[in-house]
């Protein structure tokens, strides 16, 4: 358990340091929202309708571009070797890395979401469902992404390949996340079913990611 | 499992596969010919869809094969993963492009059918979307094989990608169904028997069998190809090594 928490605190600390990626990912998130807004134009009614889907898509893209940070740096400087050698259960370490990615890359986006939602004129009743759906759904992005990051570990410049492998698997999270956020924004009180499905997907990916990720790391290190 | 272990020897596989390939090809051509005859000339036009219903005889079996090939790929991957069966890795690798082509065929013929029927080449309907995602899963799997040089490592890592994709397919399917549905519900494999008339089922099943056996023939041909390509590569490496030692001497 100590190793588990140690990896989380180390990765989060590294992420928040200058050049660690957290700030860049949050900036990328804001810029994606800006790009969408500019492309759509200053039609406030249209913007307010697509605010929640836009922010979900922006969060998904931000997660995609930050995935190669989960294992790549540790693989290059050799600390992944140490982690693999000293771990009593590699699966647990992979889970810790994925959780650290969520804290360092996704949590800041969720904190920035209300401000960006304001710029995209999201209806007032939509804030809470949007933030809630991101809180429940974005861990799935980190978990599933950790699998692709582990598979492409030994490849140079794997960024695009990670995106190709991961994006199709993100479809369920995106669908249920946007469904919950949209239902909430349109004032429908029952956005709970979509949220529950989203949570189920997150829990499922939490089981799948350590197993597949640890297997991929073992094959890449052997 | 005994049969599968015997096939692990490439020479024994070659002995069985060599006569099997033309036999399966011939059967597939015969079945496909009969199926096309019934589909185009000897089956009724639909009372609503008219003659466009004949696209179904090419489209529906392709959609079946799109899923079937992914299953073959995932189970071959699992077999290669668990039993380290050398032919299983090869079969998973060569199934991917075949499955991707079936998927593309299903999407293309579906689009041809959609234009007169729905008035649009494409609709973001649940089934179209999930088949499109399936197509991208195939491409991702192929991309992994393309980007890793070491064959043994590529096989293991691609197997993980295939298996992760396979366990996610039902979830993707369910989520996309939740998202939107315009496509007609399943009408052949359902509780209470098919809702399609026998005159239309005959060409459909003939074409399905032709696709399936044709896939078998293509799979065998592709495995033989891959085995020969690997042998060729090994031989040229050995030849290159010999040549370089001669130069040193």
């Amino acid at each position: 358990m100590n190793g588990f928490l140690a990896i989380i605190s180390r990765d989060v600390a590294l992420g928040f340091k200058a050049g660690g990626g957290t700030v860049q990912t949050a900036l990328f998130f804001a810029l994606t929202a800006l790009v969408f807004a500019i492309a759509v134009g200053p039609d406030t009614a249209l913007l307010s309708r697509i605010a929640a889907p836009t922010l979900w898509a922006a969060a998904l893209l931000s997660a995609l571009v930050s995935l190669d940070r989960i294992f790549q740096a540790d693989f290059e400087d050799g600390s992944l070797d140490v982690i693999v050698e000293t771990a009593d259960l590699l699966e647990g370490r992979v889970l810790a890395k994925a959780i650290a990615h969520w804290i360092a890359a996704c949590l800041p986006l969720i904190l920035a979401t209300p401000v960006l939602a304001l710029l995209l004129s999201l209806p007032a009743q939509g804030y809470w469902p949007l933030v809630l759906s991101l809180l429940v759904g974005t861990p799935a992005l980190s978990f599933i992404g950790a699998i692709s990051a582990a598979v492409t570990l030994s490849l140079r410049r794997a960024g695009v390949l990670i995106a190709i492998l991961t994006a199709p698997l993100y479809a369920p999270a995106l669908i249920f996340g946007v469904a919950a956020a949209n239902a909430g924004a349109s004032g429908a009180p029952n956005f709970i079913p979509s949220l529950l499905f989203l949570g189920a997907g997150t829990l499922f990916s939490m089981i799948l990611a350590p197993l597949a990720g640890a297997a991929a790391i073992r094959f890449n290190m052997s | 499992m005994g049969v599968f272990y015997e096939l692990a020897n490439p020479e024994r596989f070659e002995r069985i596969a060599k006569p099997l390939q033309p036999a399966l090809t011939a059967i597939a051509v015969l079945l496909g010919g009969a199926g096309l005859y019934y589909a185009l000339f000897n089956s009724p036009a639909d009372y609503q869809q008219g003659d466009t219903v004949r696209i179904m005889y090419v489209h529906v079996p392709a959609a079946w094969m799109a899923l079937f090939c992914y299953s073959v790929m995932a189970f071959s991957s699992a077999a290669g993963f668990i039993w380290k069966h050398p032919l299983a890795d090869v079969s998973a690798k060569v199934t991917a492009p075949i499955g991707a082509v079936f998927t593309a065929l299903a999407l293309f013929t579906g689009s041809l059918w959609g234009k007169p029927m729905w008035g649009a080449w494409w609709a973001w309907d649940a089934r179209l979307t999930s088949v499109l995602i399936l197509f991208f899963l195939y491409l991702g799997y192929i991309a992994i094989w393309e980007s890793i040089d070491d064959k043994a490592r590529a096989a293991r890592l691609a197997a993980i990608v295939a298996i992760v994709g396979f366990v996610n397919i039902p979830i993707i399917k369910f989520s996309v169904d939740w998202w939107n549905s315009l496509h007609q519900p399943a009408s052949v494999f359902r509780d209470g028997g098919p809702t399609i008339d026998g005159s239309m089922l005959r060409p459909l099943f003939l074409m399905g069998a032709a696709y399936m056996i044709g896939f078998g023939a293509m799979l065998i041909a592709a495995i033989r190809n891959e085995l020969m390509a690997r042998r060729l590569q090994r031989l040229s490496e050995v030849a290159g090594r010999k040549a370089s030692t001669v130069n040193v001497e």
Side-chain angles (χ1 to χ4, degrees):
Chain A
M1 202 60 206
N2 277 336
F4 186 83
L5 293 177
I7 284 189
I8 294 184
S9 60
R10 165 183 173 272
D11 276 19
V12 172
L14 283 177
F16 278 94
K17 272 195 179 137
T22 297
V23 179
Q24 282 104 314
T25 309
L27 262 179
F28 182 85
F29 177 64
L31 284 172
T32 313
L34 176 73
V35 165
F36 267 93
I38 292 176
V40 169
D43 180 349
T44 314
L46 179 57
L47 269 179
S48 85
R49 254 194 305 132
I50 64 163
T54 299
L55 288 173
W56 249 99
L60 189 150
L61 293 173
S62 312
L64 271 187
V65 297
S66 62
L67 287 176
D68 59 343
R69 293 222 180 76
I70 302 184
F71 299 113
Q72 196 66 46
D74 284 353
F75 178 71
E76 278 164 7
D77 69 10
S79 33
L80 195 60
D81 283 304
V82 180
I83 292 173
V84 171
E85 289 301 320
T86 56
D88 34 358
L89 191 63
L90 184 56
E91 281 79 1
R93 299 294 185 270
V94 173
L95 185 65
K97 295 287 262 177
I99 291 174
H101 174 266
W102 181 73
I103 298 175
C106 295
L107 202 54
L109 310 186
I110 301 174
L111 297 178
T113 295
V115 181
L116 290 168
L118 190 74
L119 295 181
L120 294 173
S121 52
L122 182 76
Q125 71 264 34
Y127 278 74
W128 183 229
L130 174 62
V131 169
L132 207 57
S133 69
L134 283 170
L135 270 176
V136 174
T138 47
L141 305 183
S142 292
F143 292 135
I144 296 172
I147 302 175
S148 311
V151 165
T152 56
L153 190 59
S154 56
L155 302 176
R156 277 173 199 290
R157 282 188 283 283
V160 182
L161 185 61
I162 291 183
I164 293 172
L165 288 177
T166 319
L169 301 176
Y170 276 177
L174 184 64
I175 286 170
F176 288 121
V178 173
N182 265 347
S186 66
N190 56 342
F191 61 97
I192 299 297
S194 300
L195 211 58
L196 290 179
F197 280 126
L198 190 61
T202 298
L203 292 176
F204 179 73
S205 62
M206 190 174 141
I207 303 299
L208 188 63
L211 296 174
I217 289 178
R218 288 199 190 97
F219 290 131
N220 263 319
M221 306 295 268
S222 62
Chain B
M1 282 314 295
V3 184
F4 284 105
Y5 277 117
E6 284 187 8
L7 286 177
N9 179 340
E11 270 175 42
R12 199 169 292 148
F13 172 80
E14 179 69 16
R15 261 210 307 283
I16 300 170
K18 207 174 175 184
L20 205 56
Q21 190 189 332
L24 288 180
T25 310
I27 297 172
V29 168
L30 284 177
L31 282 173
L36 280 178
Y37 166 71
Y38 278 110
L40 296 178
F41 304 108
N42 204 355
S43 66
D46 189 77
Y47 82 102
Q48 271 184 327
Q49 305 181 11
D51 276 331
T52 42
V53 74
R54 300 183 199 284
I55 297 175
M56 286 298 116
Y57 304 123
V58 185
H59 168 77
V60 175
W64 289 342
M65 294 308 296
L67 269 179
F68 180 74
C69 287
Y70 205 94
S71 315
V72 170
M73 202 173 96
F75 281 108
S76 301
S77 300
F81 204 82
I82 297 166
W83 294 293
K84 307 275 184 288
H85 193 297
L87 271 186
D89 291 337
V90 175
S91 127
K93 182 189 175 186
V94 301
T95 303
I98 304 175
V101 168
F102 275 124
T103 315
L105 186 65
L107 287 169
F108 177 69
T109 52
S111 165
L112 287 183
W113 180 87
K115 184 62 184 167
M117 285 301 113
W118 294 339
W121 295 112
W122 183 263
W124 288 99
D125 137 82
R127 277 209 205 178
L128 272 72
T129 311
S130 49
V131 172
L132 186 65
I133 294 176
L134 182 68
F135 185 59
F136 284 127
L137 286 176
Y138 272 118
L139 296 187
Y141 177 84
I142 296 171
I144 271 287
W145 271 103
E146 294 294 317
S147 38
I148 302 175
D149 291 328
D150 178 5
K151 288 272 187 299
R153 179 179 293 178
R156 298 281 87 82
L157 293 171
I160 295 177
V161 172
I163 294 167
V164 167
F166 190 67
V167 298
N168 270 296
I169 283 178
I171 303 174
I172 294 173
K173 180 86 185 82
F174 172 72
S175 66
V176 175
D177 278 344
W178 177 271
W179 182 56
N180 183 10
S181 200
L182 177 70
H183 199 288
Q184 56 179 308
S187 46
V188 178
F189 297 114
R190 59 185 281 279
D191 292 337
T195 55
I196 299 178
D197 187 69
S199 61
M200 290 184 173
L201 275 181
R202 189 185 303 126
L204 191 58
F205 280 130
L206 279 172
M207 290 301 283
Y211 273 46
M212 186 71 98
I213 294 171
F215 165 68
M218 283 190 274
L219 182 63
I220 288 175
I223 291 178
R224 292 177 65 199
N225 257 343
E226 177 75 18
L227 291 177
M228 274 184 239
R230 288 187 182 183
R231 185 182 297 172
L232 201 62
Q233 197 188 354
R234 262 198 309 278
L235 286 177
S236 67
E237 276 167 14
V238 170
R241 218 174 295 140
K242 269 187 189 155
S244 62
T245 40
V246 169
N247 280 344
V248 171
E249 281 163 6

